[in-house]
Structure formats: structure tokens, C-alpha cells
Amino acid sequence: MVRIWIGFLALSELLLSSLVHMLYGFYIFSTAVASDLLQALGECFRPNAEVVVKEVLSKESNLDGLPPIVLVHGIFGFGKGRLGGLSYFAGAEKKDERVLVPDLGSLTSIHDRARELFYYLKGGRVDFGEEHSIIYGHSQFGRTYEQGQYPKWDEHHPIHFVGHSAGAQVVRVLQQMLADKAFDGYNNTHENWVLSLTSLSGALNGTTRTYFDGMQPEDGRSMKSVSLLQLCRLGVIMYDWLDIPWLKNYYNFGFDHFNLTWRKTGIWGLVDCLLGHVGPFASGDWLLPDLTIQGSLQLNSKLNTFPNTYYFSYATKRTHKIMGATVPSSILGIHPMLFIRVLQMSQWRHPPSVLPPFKGYRDEDWHDNDGALNTVSMTHPRIPAEHPSHLVVDDSECQPLQPGIWYYKIMEADHILFIVNRERAGVQFDLIYDSIFQRCRKHAFRNTPTLPNQSNQ
């Protein structure tokens, strides 16, 4: 009887979580479509007005000495040009004169996203690497960027990166690839191409949420038979197989290099994918395995904190302690899509029958969370080895900034407070992004900085 009740509760939780996520996804998608339709209608009925063209070209020529700030989205995210005029970073990119917002695979692996980010900036055809492509069973080459967004990127023209959620780990992997000279045809890459990395609720050490969503805590790579991720897997496979052009122009999960479309696989290819014989979910070359504690440990074992790069991290949480127990800190302050996970993650217990993911692991260290990531995971790289770090209470404590150290702040916020919907964060939104851009422009530099208000003088 007890097992029946447990099964019933688990099924109810799955149905509720699935419904909430589907409704939120539909809300975001429909908002983008409605916004585009209204804009198109407005242009149709607008009286013949003179088109005022801003003098952008002459201005940009004066910004050549200003390093770009690249905003890298997280899981299920999107860059500029996807979902119509909707902004993943809720318009934060308008706060600075030189900001880039790449559109990377929303569910592809950290490795594949890092490779794509490189070619987005330098230009050329995305090369995922021959060995990697053979191991994981997909095409070696992806989309072609005819013109890179910053083709002169090098050690003398470095870039500031801001990564949200999994986006922070993408930048870390990219920087290691630069240090390892892992891009064919580019023998001069160097870790100093990255001037600074700001992690905004960054997935630096994995998250216990992956296990609630369906990843197996035994290995961190396989999925439970009945779970939210299994439903997601089926939906993604069907979405890519149907390959409806206008839909994929609005949103793309990023698995084009797996050739999952009906034109290339046919019916039997779809059956093989659904049964888990082929494709990204069969090979493990997708994002969720990289976000488990085991997957993050494996990634981190190859990643360094480099001595000439500035690192800053914002760790978020929506929990607090009551009589020694960790509970959600509010009800209305947490997004409905995240509330259940905040509660579950605050009560996480690693299965006693499974070996801990690393030496020194303790459940209580992972209880504080923001509904998607554990707060302990977001501060700085910790596993398998602790990286240099400094807790910041007041920004004046870390002036001047020192490279090679992870400065981190812990703040009250859920995982999506600073993206998509600016109104939710209110004044906090402007404070956080203003401080990020100010730090990039005034405090993180190797040579005398060129400030935006000086570039036109």
C-alpha cells in the first residue's frame, strides 16, 4: 500500500511539473509570436513616414577599441534572432554599446555549444571535432557563419563573457579549448582571449535538480524510464523530425548536426530515436548529463582558472533555514515553474545505496537552491578541486579586482529572475546588470580601458 501511495504521488508530481513547464513554454512562444504579429500589423497601418536611420556605422568605427561583452544563454535559452523580438536577457543587452547575444543550441552538450560559440565569434563553419563527432555519432560540421561577429578576436583583442546558468560552463570549456589550441586551423589561440567571465546563476558544479527531472543518480548519464526528461526527449525528437521551417526559425534545440529530420532518417530513423537506439539522448551528447554532479565533476577535472582572466559569480537562492531545516523562503517570490523544485531540492537526500559523487560530499551543503541550481554549485568551481575564491559582501571589498580569483556574491533570487521578464526583478534587474557592465568596462582590463563615453571623443 505504501508503495502504491508513493507511486501515485510521484505520478501526480510528474503530471503537475509537466503541465507547468508546458504552459510556461507555450506562454513564452505565444508572447513572441503575438509581439511579431503586432509589430507587423503596426508597420502595415503606419502612415507613410520617413525612415530615420541612425548613424550607427560611423559610431561603431569609434568602438573598435571597446571589447565586446558576449551574453551566453543557458538551458532552453535562445539568442538574438530567435523567438522574434523577445530577449532572453530581458533587454539587458541594450545597456551597453557593444553587446553580442549568440544563439546556441538550447539542449546541446557543453562541448558542442562551446565549439559553436567560437565560430559564431571568429566566423566559418562550425567544426565539432572529428574524434568527438565519431564517438557521439553526429556530423563533424554544423552551421556556417559567413561573417564572424568579432573576427579579430585574439589575445590583443579579448572578450568579456557573461554566462547565465549552463552558459557559464560553456565559456569555461571554450576558454580551456583556447588554451589547448583545440581548433583546427587556429594555432595561436590562448586562454587570454577571455578577458573576464561573469557567471550569473552559473552551473559550475552541477545540480541535484537533474535527478528530480529524471537523470539517474547512479551514473549521472542515463534517464529514469518515467520522468519529465523522458517527456522532453520525446517532444524534442518529434519537433526535430517534423522539421517545420517556420517553427525552427522561431526556436531550435540545436540538434541539426544529428540529422534527425524526416528527410534524412525516414520513419525507421524516427523509431530508432524514440526507442533510444540513436541520437543525442542515446549517446549522452546533450546538456543534462553535463549538468549532473558527476558530469560537472568530469568536466571540471579538465578545466582551469587562468591567472590573467577576471572571474565574478552571482550565486542565487530562494531558501532559508527554520529550526535547522531548509525551506523555500517565500511563495509569491518564486516563479510557479520553480516552486516545486525549490521545495524538493531543499530536501534532497542522495540515495544511500549509491556511492557519493565525490569525496567529502554532504547532502546539507546542497540544500540551498534557486529552483534550478544549488547555491553551493554557483559560487565558484569546487569539485574535484577548490579554485581560488573570495566571498563579496560589498563591492568595495574587491577593488581593485585581481585576476585568477573567483569573486562571488550570494543574493536572494530564483533562477530566472534576471532573464526573459524584466518586470519580475524590478530595480534589482538594473542594479545587477549595471554592476556587471560597469565591472567589465572599468575594472576588468589588462591595458588602459576605453570607456564608452570616451570612445566618441
Side-chain angles (χ1 to χ4, degrees):
M1 182 62 71
V2 173
R3 288 186 177 181
I4 293 176
W5 272 108
I6 292 175
F8 175 76
L9 290 173
L11 182 59
S12 300
E13 186 276 329
L14 173 61
L15 292 174
L16 179 60
S17 295
S18 303
L19 180 62
V20 170
H21 282 77
M22 287 177 61
L23 288 175
Y24 186 66
F26 179 76
Y27 163 74
I28 294 295
F29 189 86
S30 59
T31 298
V33 174
S35 176
D36 279 5
L37 289 175
L38 288 174
Q39 184 177 352
L41 287 172
E43 291 176 357
C44 288
F45 293 102
R46 186 178 300 159
N48 294 329
E50 294 183 5
V51 178
V52 179
V53 180
K54 296 182 179 179
E55 296 182 3
V56 175
L57 295 178
S58 60
K59 188 176 182 180
E60 286 202 1
S61 63
N62 292 324
L63 294 175
D64 284 345
L66 199 64
I69 298 174
V70 180
L71 306 183
V72 184
H73 64 75
I75 187 172
F76 290 115
F78 51 93
K80 189 174 182 179
R82 295 288 182 187
L83 283 179
L86 196 63
S87 167
Y88 178 86
F89 289 93
E93 61 270 25
K94 298 176 183 177
K95 284 182 169 289
D96 188 270
E97 295 176 273
R98 197 163 197 180
V99 176
L100 301 173
V101 189
D103 180 63
L104 307 177
S106 66
L107 270 182
T108 49
S109 65
I110 298 288
H111 173 280
D112 289 359
R113 296 183 70 197
R115 305 289 293 193
E116 192 170 12
L117 180 55
F118 176 85
Y119 291 98
Y120 164 86
L121 293 166
K122 290 292 287 183
R125 191 179 184 187
V126 176
D127 183 352
F128 296 108
E130 182 179 7
E131 182 180 358
H132 174 87
S133 303
I134 292 173
I135 291 173
Y136 292 102
H138 60 67
S139 298
Q140 180 179 345
F141 299 100
R143 75 171 85 175
T144 299
Y145 294 95
E146 299 291 348
Q147 177 64 42
Q149 294 297 312
Y150 196 56
K152 68 177 182 178
W153 183 31
D154 60 20
E155 189 171 357
H156 303 291
H157 303 89
I159 291 177
H160 297 285
F161 289 91
V162 179
H164 175 253
S165 191
Q169 199 76 326
V170 169
V171 179
R172 293 190 66 219
V173 169
L174 172 60
Q175 186 176 24
Q176 190 64 55
M177 289 178 176
L178 295 172
D180 296 338
K181 297 176 173 43
F183 296 93
D184 288 344
Y186 295 89
N187 300 319
N188 66 333
T189 61
H190 196 277
E191 63 266 20
N192 287 350
W193 287 26
V194 178
L195 181 51
S196 74
L197 166 57
T198 300
S199 171
L200 187 58
S201 302
L204 304 176
N205 300 281
T207 170
T208 57
R209 168 159 180 168
T210 57
Y211 309 122
F212 288 109
D213 286 346
M215 299 303 294
Q216 295 280 12
E218 287 81 0
D219 60 8
R221 299 200 68 80
S222 56
M223 277 189 286
K224 299 172 185 176
S225 299
V226 180
S227 65
L228 182 63
L229 290 180
Q230 285 287 2
L231 295 177
C232 172
R233 180 184 76 89
L234 297 177
V236 170
I237 290 172
M238 290 303 305
Y239 187 92
D240 268 29
W241 187 80
L242 290 172
D243 193 27
I244 303 172
W246 75 268
L247 273 178
K248 295 192 83 171
N249 284 335
Y250 261 93
Y251 193 82
N252 193 338
F253 292 104
F255 291 124
D256 292 344
H257 52 302
F258 277 91
N259 302 311
L260 302 178
T261 68
W262 62 271
R263 296 178 182 85
K264 296 180 179 179
T265 66
I267 291 292
W268 292 115
L270 172 64
V271 172
D272 276 344
C273 282
L274 293 174
L275 292 177
H277 297 158
V278 296
F281 305 102
S283 67
D285 191 30
W286 64 300
L287 189 53
L288 263 295
D290 290 336
L291 298 182
T292 62
I293 298 177
Q294 296 96 324
S296 295
L297 189 151
Q298 186 175 0
L299 276 177
N300 285 346
S301 65
K302 306 171 186 176
L303 304 180
N304 293 298
T305 290
F306 294 97
N308 294 322
T309 298
Y310 296 90
Y311 300 92
F312 204 96
S313 174
Y314 293 88
T316 47
K317 73 185 186 87
R318 273 299 189 196
T319 52
H320 62 186
K321 295 283 194 300
I322 296 181
M323 299 178 64
T326 305
V327 296
S329 56
S330 69
I331 296 178
L332 298 179
I334 302 174
H335 194 280
M337 188 176 69
L338 298 173
F339 184 82
I340 292 177
R341 289 296 185 255
V342 171
L343 179 61
Q344 290 176 317
M345 291 171 69
S346 69
Q347 307 301 313
W348 165 253
R349 297 289 183 274
H350 190 74
S353 58
V354 178
L355 287 175
F358 61 90
K359 186 178 180 180
Y361 169 86
R362 300 188 310 166
D363 283 332
E364 53 268 31
D365 294 337
W366 296 75
H367 284 169
D368 282 326
N369 70 89
D370 67 357
L373 293 171
N374 312 87
T375 306
V376 70
S377 175
M378 292 183 268
T379 59
H380 60 284
R382 295 171 176 267
I383 57 173
E386 191 97 13
H387 290 224
S389 64
H390 178 76
L391 171 63
V392 175
V393 178
D394 188 284
D395 285 351
S396 62
E397 299 174 15
C398 55
Q399 301 302 338
L401 280 175
Q402 298 297 318
I405 298 174
W406 284 84
Y407 294 92
Y408 68 92
K409 296 181 74 170
I410 299 177
M411 55 191 304
E412 283 290 329
D414 65 39
H415 193 69
I416 58 176
L417 191 69
F418 299 108
I419 60 171
V420 181
N421 189 343
R422 186 172 187 166
E423 287 70 25
R424 285 191 66 225
V427 69
Q428 266 193 304
F429 181 95
D430 292 301
L431 290 175
I432 191 81
Y433 280 107
D434 286 345
S435 67
I436 290 173
F437 292 136
Q438 184 180 55
R439 188 180 305 111
C440 290
R441 294 302 182 212
K442 295 184 178 181
H443 303 294
F445 55 87
R446 298 192 186 113
N447 302 309
T448 303
T450 302
L451 303 181
N453 61 357
Q454 296 175 343
S455 59
N456 296 322
Q457 296 179 359

